[in-house]
Amino acid sequence: FYAKLKQITYNKDEFDDVKAIVIADSNIELAPTEKQTLEVYALYGGVKAPRLLDNAKLTFTSNASSYATVGSHDGIADGHADIEVKVTSRADLVAMAVVTVAS
């Protein structure tokens, strides 16, 4: 390296440059009582590499909490649930995962 550059941007949210979010494994298979943490990445336009997001900045919702819950992404009973993940501060950044629970 000949020089190290530092960019300072004022009044810019950390998600302003994010074009989409993706889940590392969006088709999840669990046994009842098995747990898995979702890894959600931010995708940027251009050459910037994807970045793993802090789950505390995301909102998780299950459409079938009788099969899979979202607090710790637990499998509960045989069936499947769609898990929607949104960036809490940007409702337009959404990703989906399908959780299948089978004994």
Side-chain angles (χ1 to χ4, degrees):
F1 294 98
Y2 291 106
K4 201 175 212 181
L5 300 175
K6 181 178 179 182
Q7 180 180 2
I8 300 174
T9 308
Y10 297 97
N11 297 323
K12 193 168 188 177
D13 184 83
E14 68 178 300
F15 294 104
D16 282 351
D17 295 334
V18 176
K19 301 298 180 200
I21 61 172
V22 295
I23 300 169
D25 181 9
S26 59
N27 290 312
I28 302 164
E29 294 185 15
L30 300 175
T33 72
E34 187 178 1
K35 298 180 182 191
Q36 181 171 335
T37 300
L38 298 180
E39 292 182 350
V40 182
Y41 289 85
L43 300 180
Y44 302 90
V47 297
K48 190 172 181 180
R51 180 177 56 96
L52 181 63
L53 295 176
D54 179 3
N55 282 353
K57 297 179 180 183
L58 304 171
T59 302
F60 299 85
T61 308
S62 173
N63 74 335
S65 58
S66 58
Y67 301 116
T69 60
V70 296
S72 55
H73 316 299
D74 295 343
I76 295 177
D78 288 358
H80 79 275
D82 296 327
I83 306 295
E84 180 182 73
V85 182
K86 288 184 183 180
V87 173
T88 304
S89 64
R90 291 264 314 267
D92 61 320
L93 294 174
V94 181
M96 297 291 291
V98 176
V99 178
T100 302
V101 181
S103 300

